[in-house]
Amino acid sequence: MSDNDLHDAVQPDMGAAGSDKPRPRRCYTRRMTVEPVLFFAMFSMALQGPLTTQYLWERLSRDLGYNGSRSEGCTNSTNPMEKDVETLTSHWSLYLNLSGLLVGLFSVMLLGPWSDHVGRRPVLIVPFIGLALQIVVYLVVMYQELHVGYLLLGRIISGLSGDFNMVLAGCFAYIADITDRPSRTFRVAVLEACLGIAGMIASIIGGHWRKAQGYINPFWLAFAVNVFAAIYVYFFVRESVKDKKPSKLFTLRHYQSIFRLFGLPGENGRRSKLFLYSLALLLVVTVHMGAKDLMVIYELSFPLCWDSDLIGYGSAAEHLTYLSSLAGLRLFQLCLADSWVAEMGFLSNISGLVVISLAVTTPIMFTGYGLRFFSMATTPVIRSKLSKLVEEGEQGALFSVVACVEGVSFILATSIFNSLYPATLYFMKGFAFLFGAVVLLIPAGIIGLVEICSQKPLYSQFAEIS
């Protein structure tokens, strides 16, 4: 801990000028806090995601009477039945994502501001209960071989509890509560690295496990992980909101607090920066989730025709970017401002997506994964910059907005990419990934422009020194 950090930790933070009432002191710490919580949530989601897509592929193939390209030696790239299976799988993935996310938007906007009053722990427990119930529905569908449409019920239940987005919002708000401004970007990146570690482990386990035992047992593990995570939060996570007070959950005041966050002008162009950074995050997450949703379908079909082992390794390579981005972020922060670190992340992401869009062999596909080694450095920078624009008592409201932005991103991703992919199969199979690379040029321009406009002129810096 630096001298400045130590000073801030022991001195009470005074309120506005002229006020003698100290604000609640932050609990600065370097110890592990909610990182395991996000690890458990991501492990469960990463274990389910590729398996759900593969389950849809197999069930829909069986319904259509299609044996798959593997029985044909993976040589028939024009089989119309394969195109039908790809299209149906893409559309059902769209329906599952939309059903949970649309419901989750309203839940997150209530739970996030509510956590500013009652604390972060309740809003970290509730989503895990919903995620566990979702898996119960999925297991019933698999055991009874019900129509895949019944999977929608599980997604709606999870959405009512805030879904995975509420876990993200609660964890990032928690980190904002306990960190100071200089260290926040790296702590947010550490939290995001937990996403990568969990996703990488779950992807490798899921691919091999499905091949050996099918779908049922991996989903039971995901259920157990969600239950354990809720227990962990209840017993081991300390509350980060020091000035807790009772508050109703179902009230319009929570929505009003979000409106005040973005509707009222602030100092140094706060409102415009909030909008611009939120737009940048919207586009980044849209491309990230849109490409991620299509990866499994892209790898299952001709000409790659990967089996579950290779799909697991590919998903692990995708999640490995969280760790490599964390290491790169820590290194480049020594000589570059956060915004320029984010620009390097955009360059990595764009180049990787371009190569993936042209991949026709396994080595080229993994080359695309490799080029994206620094692609996840952008989101922690954006989250940190958003967090630094608001007050301590607004972190829950802010990250509920961020969660809603990400929810809208998921909706846009599934709507655009899952519709674009089947529509462009006949002239360029990887066009959706190329489209994502072009879209990323917009947030890259936004962050660069905000950074340049925020820099003080040289003469004003000399004036301050004098």
Side-chain angles (χ1 to χ4, degrees):
M1 181 177 291
S2 65
D3 292 340
N4 290 336
D5 293 349
L6 181 61
H7 180 270
D8 291 339
V10 299
Q11 294 296 329
D13 186 12
M14 300 306 294
S19 174
D20 294 331
K21 183 180 180 180
R23 288 200 300 245
R25 186 175 57 186
R26 284 194 184 189
C27 178
Y28 296 109
T29 179
R30 294 183 182 274
R31 68 180 179 82
M32 187 169 60
T33 53
V34 290
E35 287 83 1
V37 178
L38 197 56
F39 177 91
F40 296 140
M42 187 61 197
F43 181 90
S44 173
M45 295 298 294
L47 190 63
Q48 296 175 65
L51 293 181
T52 301
T53 304
Q54 292 176 74
Y55 178 77
L56 288 172
W57 177 283
E58 289 191 8
R59 280 293 305 273
L60 295 170
S61 296
R62 192 189 318 159
D63 293 343
L64 293 176
Y66 174 60
N67 293 327
S69 58
R70 287 152 191 75
S71 63
E72 303 166 2
C74 193
T75 58
N76 187 359
S77 61
T78 59
N79 190 325
M81 195 168 289
E82 180 181 310
K83 306 299 181 187
D84 291 340
V85 173
E86 285 187 77
T87 301
L88 282 173
T89 303
S90 179
H91 286 167
W92 274 108
S93 295
L94 169 64
Y95 303 149
L96 288 175
N97 285 325
L98 286 178
S99 59
L101 292 171
L102 287 174
V103 176
L105 288 179
F106 298 97
S107 301
V108 170
M109 292 177 70
L110 284 175
L111 291 170
W114 185 59
S115 71
D116 285 330
H117 302 284
V118 301
R120 310 296 181 205
R121 294 173 70 245
V123 300
L124 288 175
I125 294 174
V126 171
F128 283 112
I129 297 174
L131 289 168
L133 292 176
Q134 171 190 304
I135 296 175
V136 170
V137 174
Y138 278 31
L139 286 169
V140 171
V141 172
M142 293 176 186
Y143 275 118
Q144 301 298 321
E145 295 191 354
L146 302 177
H147 188 272
V148 294
Y150 285 100
L151 297 175
L152 296 172
L153 177 61
R155 292 294 298 126
I156 292 173
I157 293 174
S158 181
L160 288 171
S161 68
D163 204 41
F164 179 67
N165 277 343
M166 192 62 246
V167 179
L168 283 175
C171 288
F172 285 116
Y174 191 103
I175 289 297
D177 290 338
I178 65 172
T179 56
D180 56 357
R181 294 168 64 89
S183 64
R184 189 168 304 165
T185 299
F186 183 71
R187 283 300 298 269
V188 169
V190 170
L191 201 57
E192 291 205 0
C194 294
L195 298 174
I197 297 171
M200 181 174 57
I201 296 173
S203 299
I204 295 175
I205 291 175
H208 288 287
W209 204 353
R210 189 214 69 82
K211 191 174 182 179
Q213 297 184 344
Y215 296 98
I216 301 296
N217 289 339
F219 274 87
W220 273 116
L221 175 61
F223 172 80
V225 167
N226 283 309
V227 173
F228 179 79
I231 296 172
Y232 177 87
V233 172
Y234 184 82
F235 286 104
F236 297 106
V237 175
R238 295 180 182 178
E239 183 55 65
S240 63
V241 176
K242 302 303 179 184
D243 189 20
K244 295 193 301 180
K245 51 185 178 293
S247 176
K248 292 183 179 179
L249 175 59
F250 299 103
T251 174
L252 291 176
R253 286 184 300 169
H254 299 319
Y255 294 106
Q256 292 170 352
S257 65
I258 292 176
F259 172 78
R260 288 194 300 269
L261 196 65
F262 282 81
L264 299 178
E267 297 180 356
N268 300 320
R270 187 186 86 154
R271 182 168 59 181
S272 61
K273 289 180 181 178
L274 284 172
F275 277 112
L276 287 172
Y277 283 131
S278 298
L279 175 60
L281 185 65
L282 175 78
L283 296 174
V284 171
V285 177
T286 296
V287 172
H288 175 70
M289 295 308 303
K292 187 176 180 181
D293 275 353
L294 297 180
M295 287 294 187
V296 175
I297 302 174
Y298 190 67
E299 293 160 355
L300 279 169
S301 58
F302 181 89
L304 294 174
C305 300
W306 284 6
D307 59 15
S308 59
D309 289 347
L310 275 175
I311 289 173
Y313 289 128
S315 186
E318 171 72 12
H319 289 97
L320 187 61
T321 58
Y322 287 93
L323 283 177
S324 56
S325 296
L326 173 64
L329 182 96
R330 189 62 163 174
L331 176 64
F332 290 121
Q333 274 188 323
L334 299 175
C335 55
L336 293 174
D338 285 353
S339 295
W340 304 124
V341 174
E343 296 293 345
M344 295 183 65
F346 282 118
L347 179 62
S348 173
N349 203 352
I350 291 170
S351 60
L353 287 175
V354 170
V355 171
I356 288 173
S357 71
L358 303 173
V360 293
T361 64
T362 296
I364 296 177
M365 189 68 184
F366 276 105
T367 299
Y369 279 128
L371 287 173
R372 300 182 71 214
F373 76 101
F374 198 53
S375 61
M376 296 309 299
T378 55
T379 48
V381 171
I382 297 174
R383 292 185 206 271
S384 177
K385 286 186 173 294
L386 283 167
S387 175
K388 293 173 184 178
L389 290 171
V390 302
E391 300 295 331
E392 293 179 26
E394 298 173 320
Q395 296 294 336
L398 171 70
F399 281 103
S400 69
V401 172
V402 171
C404 289
V405 168
E406 293 182 332
V408 173
S409 298
F410 297 157
I411 294 173
L412 291 175
T414 51
S415 301
I416 296 173
F417 283 81
N418 282 282
S419 300
L420 187 63
Y421 180 74
T424 56
L425 280 173
Y426 296 96
F427 69 89
M428 183 180 179
K429 194 177 186 69
F431 179 81
F433 301 107
L434 186 62
F435 172 77
V438 174
V439 171
L440 286 177
L441 295 174
I442 300 174
I446 290 174
I447 291 180
L449 184 63
V450 172
E451 176 67 17
I452 292 172
C453 294
S454 298
Q455 291 177 351
K456 294 182 180 181
L458 187 60
Y459 67 85
S460 66
Q461 297 179 22
F462 283 117
E464 290 179 0
I465 294 174
S466 61

